[in-house]
Amino acid sequence: MIRVNGLTKVYGSGDAAVHALRGVDLEIPEGDFVAIMGPSGSGKSTFLSILGCLERPSSGDYYLDGRDVNSLEDDELADLRNKKLGFVFQSFNLLPRHNVLRNVEMPLIYAGVPSDERRKRAQELLEQVGLGHRLTHKPAELSGGEQQRVAIARALANNPLVIFADEPTGNLDTKSSLEIMEIFQQMHRAGRTIVLVTHEPDIAAYARRVIHFRDGKIVREETK
Amino acid sequence: MMNFADLVQIVWENLRAHRLRAVLTTIGIAIGIAGVIAVVAVGQGGQAVIISEIEKMGSSLYFDISPDYMRGETADSNTFSIEDPTIIKELSPAVDKMAAITLGPMVDVRLPSSDKKTIMASLYGTNPDLIHIMNLSLEKGRFITDLDVTSHSRVVVIDAGLAEDLFPKEDPLGKKIFVQDTPLTVVGVLEKAPSSMMDMFNVRSLYSPITQAQDMLNTKVINQLCGTAVSEEALPQAISDSIKILESRHSSVSNHYVGTTLEEQLEMVGKVTSILTTVIGAVAGIALLVGGVGVMNIMLVAVTERTREIGLLKALGARRRDIMQQFLGEAVALCLLGGLIGMVVGIGGAFAIALAAHWPPLISVWTVLLAIGFSVIIGIFFGLYPASRAASLSPAEALRHL
Ligand SMILES: Nc1ncnc2c1ncn2[C@@H]1O[C@H](COP(=O)(O)OP(=O)(O)OP(=O)(O)O)[C@@H](O)[C@H]1O
Ligand SMILES: [Mg+2]
């Protein structure tokens, strides 16, 4: 479902040029659970954000769900992110001025889902992550683990094909990390494709495949 | 695609987080909109005064003589005398009618039977010519006569409004009314003046022989003389004759007199009005500009503060247009808030100016629509740049922002 060939990313130019990715080839079939590991600065986040259509590669091909991503317009990419992709970040990235319900509704608003249907869907998702009773709270009133669960509910709002998670447990204690990974595990079992970046082997152990990055390249891969 | 209701809700949730900031940002806009409303009201009010004066007097022959206010002179008991009008008429062939006026403060008027219900009215002490000079007409009874003046008759002529207030069912003629506790007999009722915009003020007037009015008010001061010339061509002559005669008759004190025609008075009103509108308009324009720039500034700050958030919204599927809408919406909402505050202040100010300048406060639906329309336009104008900056951020870069 995801296929990249010879993917490179260069930031800046001339002497200041940074080669974040130096030719990455990878295929991820539907329903796969992939963990990406590697030293800091090896290009993991860059790779994830290209897969997530948040930025474009400098060169190389990217096919997602049969579509040539490089050929899509900005608005088409936005639509793709909205309906097919979900994101979970290390720092949760919830909207601080809106309550939990609104945070989860946001992708549904951009998708043009009518308000009562939207509300129902957001409520369901929040119940699934165990936060059905915190709908009107602001993100700052929640613990880190709870915030990340809201972020997961939000990522699932439009029932996306793939979830991209960049160090989702990086800011959490062990207990919350385990809770979050339980949710990822469930999503995987339900057949959703997951691509997750992590530094921790314990977390990577949940994945079916572990891919190791170094200097902008894949250097090793393990499959369970 | 976001619908309007969602947009309004999201904008509101965002602005609510910074209430004080929002209100402070809107002050400039508020002042500007208040100014715009005041300009419109002052302009319309001034025009209404001119129109109603013309309607009322309808005479291009009118003139009046006052102490020279420009030199700081005011009328005292030596400025004019009761005999002046008669003498001026005799000596100057250019002068047709002439009356002296002792203008009292607002006086209490009541019926002998009730001592509770009093009506405020302005009292004119004058002589017979005034009815012609002011273009008044009688509905019934008679006006003041020369005999009334010489014999200090305790008689009064009331206007139609006062007649209705005091004698809704009866014939006022021959009835007694108390003016400042002096009993006066009603001898005449004026016709309702052709409806003018000044009617909104509901100012009641009554007219008494000048001698009697001076007794009641316990004064010897005559505030001004007014008259008509025999023809329009004779108007300047009538004024200069009157002044010359007055100066020779009151030479014991150094008095300076000025004569004003109706046209000049109206010009004055027009001039004051246009100065007021220019000044307020300029202040309003500057305030709107400064206010608009303030809104733009705060929106640019918001875009910077929320760069990461914008990246997130894009990750969630917001298109350029969605981000644009959201930030433009906030700028417009800020300006609308300012516009509403300004509207309240402006309408209050227009009333205050109207009260001070004695003209009707004119606030129309158009004024309100103008204020709202103006605010929205300013919001869009000054919000466009920050909003497009927010919309054009690349999602990955915005998300990396700390
Ligand atoms: N916008 C940018 N401009 C310039 N260089 C960048 C930019 N983004 C990333 N880089 C560089 O690209 C390289 C890869 O960065 P990336 O964030 O992908 O690393 P990472 O593997 O996610 O590291 P970490 O584990 O610390 O998160 C780094 O050397 C980084 O400095
Ligand atoms: Mg990273």
Side-chain angles (χ1 to χ4, degrees):
Chain A
M1 187 192 48
I2 286 175
R3 185 159 60 82
V4 294
N5 291 111
L7 210 64
T8 72
K9 181 71 185 181
V10 185
Y11 292 110
S13 58
D15 287 348
V18 178
H19 294 265
L21 295 178
R22 299 167 182 268
V24 178
D25 304 306
L26 185 67
E27 254 183 77
I28 302 174
E30 191 164 352
D32 209 353
F33 188 169
V34 178
I36 299 173
M37 296 190 76
S40 186
S42 57
K44 307 182 296 292
S45 295
T46 306
F47 183 55
L48 205 69
S49 94
I50 290 174
L51 289 188
C53 303
L54 295 169
E55 62 191 317
R56 294 173 187 274
S58 303
S59 69
D61 297 327
Y62 176 17
Y63 292 92
L64 173 67
D65 197 26
R67 298 172 80 180
D68 177 5
V69 173
N70 290 345
S71 70
L72 298 179
E73 301 283 328
D74 283 354
D75 278 0
E76 292 173 309
L77 289 181
D79 210 47
L80 202 63
R81 290 192 295 264
N82 183 233
K83 305 223 168 65
K84 302 276 167 77
L85 313 179
F87 296 90
V88 179
F89 302 92
Q90 177 175 0
S91 50
F92 321 134
N93 277 349
L94 297 179
L95 300 164
R97 291 175 300 282
H98 301 292
N99 66 25
V100 163
L101 190 67
R102 170 75 76 210
N103 265 276
V104 178
E105 277 185 319
M106 221 59 200
L108 297 161
I109 289 176
Y110 293 130
V113 177
S115 63
D116 35 351
E117 193 183 327
R118 194 169 76 202
R119 208 187 155 80
K120 209 172 129 238
R121 170 95 181 125
Q123 244 164 346
E124 267 170 26
L125 286 162
L126 282 163
E127 272 158 26
Q128 277 174 33
V129 297
L131 289 172
H133 57 298
R134 309 296 292 270
L135 301 181
T136 57
H137 289 243
K138 291 279 168 63
E141 293 158 9
L142 304 182
S143 74
E146 288 168 333
Q147 289 189 46
Q148 196 62 303
R149 282 190 270 157
V150 175
I152 292 172
R154 183 176 65 187
L156 290 170
N158 279 322
N159 196 20
L161 290 171
V162 198
I163 298 284
F164 295 106
D166 195 347
E167 301 187 44
T169 60
N171 283 0
L172 300 177
D173 61 17
T174 319
K175 186 171 166 288
S176 304
S177 297
L178 288 177
E179 282 169 14
I180 295 299
M181 289 320 295
E182 276 309 312
I183 298 175
F184 275 95
Q185 187 82 290
Q186 280 169 25
M187 289 196 287
H188 173 52
R189 289 209 187 99
R192 206 173 305 274
T193 314
I194 299 168
V195 183
L196 173 149
V197 170
T198 184
H199 281 287
E200 299 156 76
D202 294 355
I203 300 298
Y206 282 86
R208 203 186 64 81
R209 279 163 87 189
V210 183
I211 289 166
H212 292 268
F213 263 70
R214 184 177 305 245
D215 295 331
K217 277 189 200 143
I218 296 175
V219 290
R220 194 154 55 87
E221 180 177 338
E222 304 153 48
T223 310
K224 260 192 212 160
Chain B
M1 223 16 255
M2 219 187 287
N3 68 36
F4 188 69
D6 292 334
L7 180 65
V8 169
Q9 270 186 29
I10 286 169
V11 163
W12 163 245
E13 285 168 16
N14 273 319
L15 289 181
R16 199 176 48 178
H18 294 290
R19 272 169 250 233
L20 183 63
R21 186 201 269 193
V23 170
L24 291 179
T25 305
T26 62
I27 286 177
I29 301 286
I31 293 172
I33 293 294
V36 170
I37 288 180
V39 164
V40 174
V42 167
Q44 290 183 338
Q47 215 169 353
V49 166
I50 294 174
I51 291 165
S52 82
E53 286 296 310
I54 292 169
E55 274 174 2
K56 220 167 37 183
M57 314 288 281
S59 165
S60 52
L61 303 178
Y62 174 90
F63 68 96
D64 59 41
I65 311 282
S66 310
D68 195 346
Y69 294 110
M70 302 300 251
R71 300 196 196 195
E73 292 182 11
T74 52
D76 59 33
S77 51
N78 294 317
T79 311
F80 302 109
S81 72
I82 287 181
E83 295 76 31
D84 284 343
T86 326
I87 306 234
I88 291 171
K89 277 200 287 186
E90 258 166 37
L91 293 180
S92 169
V95 177
D96 182 20
K97 307 279 185 195
M98 187 152 247
I101 294 177
T102 291
L103 184 60
M106 295 297 269
V107 292
D108 289 335
V109 182
R110 63 178 173 84
L111 291 172
S113 51
S114 79
D115 34 36
K116 289 243 175 60
K117 193 190 167 215
T118 63
I119 295 166
M120 301 286 280
S122 49
L123 172 66
Y124 292 86
T126 188
N127 41 346
D129 279 10
L130 191 79
I131 189 167
H132 307 293
I133 298 165
M134 293 292 207
N135 220 15
L136 306 170
S137 27
L138 282 166
E139 192 195 312
K140 55 176 78 163
R142 61 175 180 81
F143 200 65
I144 297 158
T145 62
D146 283 323
L147 187 65
D148 287 333
V149 176
T150 47
S151 57
H152 297 233
S153 305
R154 292 191 162 188
V155 297
V156 68
V157 175
I158 60 179
D159 69 7
L162 204 51
E164 215 161 275
D165 291 344
L166 292 170
F167 306 101
K169 298 216 173 72
E170 307 158 86
D171 182 0
L173 287 189
K175 298 276 174 358
K176 278 214 158 39
I177 59 172
F178 279 88
V179 177
Q180 301 286 77
D181 295 323
T182 308
L184 301 177
T185 306
V186 178
V187 294
V189 178
L190 293 177
E191 246 175 34
K192 222 182 178 78
S195 86
S196 85
M197 306 206 112
M198 295 299 276
D199 290 350
M200 286 192 203
F201 280 113
N202 272 334
V203 176
R204 308 296 191 216
S205 315
L206 36 82
Y207 305 83
S208 262
I210 188 163
T211 47
Q212 168 56 29
Q214 287 186 342
D215 294 347
M216 269 193 300
L217 298 167
N218 196 19
T219 178
K220 282 281 162 221
V221 176
I222 292 168
N223 300 79
Q224 66 171 12
L225 302 186
C226 58
T228 53
V230 289
S231 68
E232 252 176 85
E233 297 73 49
L235 196 53
Q237 186 68 42
I239 292 173
S240 66
D241 284 357
S242 305
I243 291 175
K244 243 177 262 158
I245 296 162
L246 285 168
E247 276 170 354
S248 69
R249 280 176 52 76
H250 301 277
S251 55
S252 55
V253 280
S254 75
N255 282 322
H256 298 93
Y257 300 91
V258 280
T260 329
T261 63
L262 185 60
E263 216 167 298
E264 284 167 340
Q265 281 187 2
L266 296 182
E267 256 168 43
M268 262 311 257
V269 173
K271 228 181 266 172
V272 170
T273 310
S274 86
I275 290 171
L276 261 178
T277 49
T278 312
V279 170
I280 302 174
V283 171
I286 293 167
L288 284 179
L289 188 72
V290 172
V293 171
V295 168
M296 184 158 158
N297 181 47
I298 221 70
M299 290 313 298
L300 285 172
V301 168
V303 171
T304 308
E305 276 179 350
R306 283 151 64 183
T307 300
R308 198 185 169 84
E309 208 178 300
I310 294 163
L312 186 262
L313 294 179
K314 291 202 158 187
L316 298 182
R319 282 173 297 181
R320 232 192 110 79
R321 203 167 61 192
D322 295 315
I323 302 290
M324 191 86 193
Q325 262 182 5
Q326 215 171 308
F327 279 83
L328 211 49
E330 284 185 33
V332 169
L334 282 175
C335 290
L336 260 181
L337 176 66
L340 291 180
I341 296 172
M343 204 162 78
V344 172
V345 174
I347 289 174
F351 268 94
I353 293 173
L355 220 62
H358 295 285
W359 67 48
L362 294 169
I363 304 293
S364 59
V365 186
W366 284 111
T367 321
V368 175
L369 290 180
L370 183 86
I372 292 172
F374 234 69
S375 317
V376 171
I377 288 169
I378 289 169
I380 291 174
F381 185 79
F382 287 99
L384 214 51
Y385 175 63
S388 80
R389 241 171 86 157
S392 60
L393 288 171
S394 113
E397 254 172 76
L399 275 168
R400 255 193 298 269
H401 197 270
L402 292 176

